[in-house]
Amino acid sequence: MAIYLPELDPATTHFPVIETALDEPNGLLAFGGDLRPERLVTAYRQGIFPWYSEGEPILWWSPAPRAVFVPAQFQPSKSLRKFLRKSGYRITLNHACPEVIRLCADSRGPDQTWITRDMMQAYQQLHHLGYCHSVEVWQADQLIGGLYGVQVGTVFCGESMFSLADNASKIALWLFCEHFTAHGGTLVDCQMMNDHLASLGAEELERSPFMQHLYTQRDAILKEGCYQPQVLHQITYDQLS
């Protein structure tokens, strides 16, 4: 069955209203445009994000319901807490954002990832402009896991995560939720629900409450230093002894 999908005007950053997004495929809203920072920031402030494969036109989405974490309610399991204490992992924030983006793409392979070369360049540029942020998990000097996403006020729009060692992405999410909550963060948007997110405690929000929260919080200001490069967790020799 043919569907009508509006094409974005390359001369503006205007998007169709999200209520016109398709039900099938869920949330498909428009195509075209570009990935310049102004358009991406405008999109995220309206609950819209790009998602497409290499060789396709840029597709823009705003699905309903939305998968989210309330960071203040994130509860790691006892086994995960125990694992972190014994792992020796070091968790940092904004120490290696370009590498996290690249590894999120590489860990899925060229036929499975939506993180095209243009997407990598676009989000690396957003990072340099202070909009895109990453969490890194290190084992010694090796980057073994992490996540990245876009800040919109007190909402963090998660884009992707990767794990090359046991529990690395889970720990990145847990430590980020703790840090984000402490600095006034209110919601982590995970876009679309999947089994992995559900297993970590993600919830679903219908479009209306999600957008109401986003509109309320998108101009709110986090506590100072939230995204300053820093160490979120590091085992000391005293803790190991």
Side-chain angles (χ1 to χ4, degrees):
M1 181 177 67
I3 60 175
Y4 170 72
L5 197 62
E7 182 176 5
L8 299 185
D9 182 351
T12 74
T13 58
H14 174 75
F15 285 91
V17 295
I18 61 172
E19 287 77 13
T20 63
L22 299 178
D23 294 328
E24 184 58 42
N26 179 17
L28 183 56
L29 178 69
F31 76 97
D34 52 43
L35 297 174
R36 70 183 191 268
E38 296 85 354
R39 190 184 300 279
L40 284 170
V41 171
T42 299
Y44 280 97
R45 286 175 58 83
Q46 297 179 36
I48 301 165
F49 58 88
W51 185 32
Y52 67 103
S53 298
E54 193 77 62
E56 293 181 347
I58 301 172
L59 301 177
W60 300 89
W61 303 76
S62 185
R66 203 79 167 220
V68 301
F69 288 102
V70 178
Q73 298 175 4
F74 188 89
Q75 292 293 330
S77 65
K78 290 182 179 178
S79 60
L80 189 62
R81 291 179 182 274
K82 182 178 180 180
F83 178 89
L84 178 60
R85 288 196 299 269
K86 296 184 175 182
S87 66
Y89 291 174
R90 178 169 55 96
I91 296 83
T92 60
L93 181 110
N94 276 336
H95 278 213
C97 190
E99 290 82 358
V100 169
I101 296 172
R102 178 180 59 79
L103 286 168
C104 281
D106 291 349
S107 64
R108 286 168 174 80
D111 297 329
Q112 296 178 319
T113 186
W114 66 96
I115 308 172
T116 65
R117 281 178 291 181
D118 287 345
M119 287 277 275
M120 281 191 277
Q121 292 174 359
Y123 286 84
Q124 287 168 3
Q125 187 174 8
L126 281 185
H127 173 65
H128 292 310
L129 293 172
Y131 293 104
C132 182
H133 306 284
S134 63
V135 178
E136 304 89 19
V137 181
W138 306 85
Q139 191 169 45
D141 292 327
Q142 182 179 1
L143 184 57
I144 59 168
L147 59 85
Y148 76 96
V150 176
Q151 175 200 354
V152 182
T154 67
V155 176
F156 183 80
C157 302
E159 273 296 307
S160 187
M161 59 175 62
F162 80 99
S163 185
L164 302 179
D166 290 346
N167 295 319
S169 61
K170 293 180 183 179
I171 288 170
L173 177 61
W174 163 27
L175 271 293
F176 175 72
C177 282
E178 283 192 348
H179 173 81
F180 195 43
T181 299
H183 286 78
T186 60
L187 201 69
V188 177
D189 171 29
C190 303
Q191 301 174 351
M192 298 182 184
M193 184 67 80
N194 58 40
D195 291 343
H196 179 61
L197 293 174
S199 72
L200 295 174
E203 307 172 12
E204 287 190 325
L205 272 185
E206 295 299 332
R207 175 172 285 133
S208 180
F210 173 78
M211 291 307 302
Q212 182 178 7
H213 186 89
L214 181 64
Y215 288 152
T216 300
Q217 296 295 319
R218 65 185 182 180
D219 291 316
I221 299 174
L222 293 164
K223 292 181 181 178
E224 186 176 355
C226 181
Y227 289 115
Q228 180 179 342
Q230 59 198 276
V231 176
L232 300 183
H233 175 87
Q234 182 168 291
I235 295 293
T236 66
Y237 287 112
D238 290 341
Q239 290 171 304
L240 291 172
S241 60

